[in-house]
Amino acid sequence: MKGWLWLTLGAIFCWGGWAFLPKLSNQYISAKSAIVYQGLGGAILATLIFLKVGDRLETHPQGAILAIIAGMLNFLGVLFYIQAVSKGSVGLVATLSALYPLVVIVLGVVVLQEAVTLKQAIGMGLALAAIACFAT
């Protein structure tokens, strides 16, 4: 099996656990408290990775700023997600929020001038139809 596939499977299982656990944690703490604890978990992992990378940490200003903004957007998305699962079905919220690649595709087309094939456009249309089905 290809190395990227193992990593992808790891991401799927980690994100699956991440998407499910907030529903359980909301039985005990608020969404705002949960995001703080998730941030703590992320900081612990970032510290361990930093200790491994050490003085080889790259510091290009533009790359660092973009990564920091990505981290902030991730945490805001997680906060919104946690609040959503505290009020609704974890299966429904996870499914709908998993449609975020539509935003990625549009940004790729607009910002990076990436091409979208007819098959991909049809897939995006079907994903939008799925949103309509789930939301009603």
Side-chain angles (χ1 to χ4, degrees):
M1 192 178 305
K2 305 273 186 195
W4 64 265
L5 185 55
W6 283 112
L7 295 170
T8 302
L9 291 172
I12 289 168
F13 283 102
C14 286
W15 284 336
W18 165 83
F20 177 73
L21 289 175
K23 187 69 174 185
L24 296 179
S25 69
N26 279 342
Q27 295 174 3
Y28 307 101
I29 58 177
S30 70
K32 289 179 183 173
S33 294
I35 191 68
V36 170
Y37 287 115
Q38 283 195 29
L40 178 60
I44 291 168
L45 283 176
T47 300
L48 293 173
I49 292 168
F50 176 73
L51 292 174
K52 184 170 173 65
V53 172
D55 61 352
R56 294 175 289 147
L57 184 67
E58 298 174 36
T59 58
H60 188 282
Q62 188 172 4
I65 289 169
L66 290 169
I68 289 168
I69 292 169
M72 293 170 76
L73 289 172
N74 177 59
F75 266 76
L76 282 173
V78 171
L79 178 60
F80 293 145
Y81 177 86
I82 293 170
Q83 289 176 329
V85 297
S86 72
K87 298 175 188 214
S89 162
V90 69
L92 185 58
V93 172
T95 301
L96 288 176
S97 65
L99 293 173
Y100 73 87
L102 292 176
V103 175
V104 176
I105 292 167
V106 170
L107 288 172
V109 169
V110 172
V111 176
L112 303 174
Q113 287 80 45
E114 294 181 346
V116 174
T117 67
L118 177 60
K119 187 191 300 185
Q120 292 166 334
I122 291 169
M124 289 172 50
L126 292 171
L128 291 171
I131 290 173
C133 289
F134 275 108
T136 56

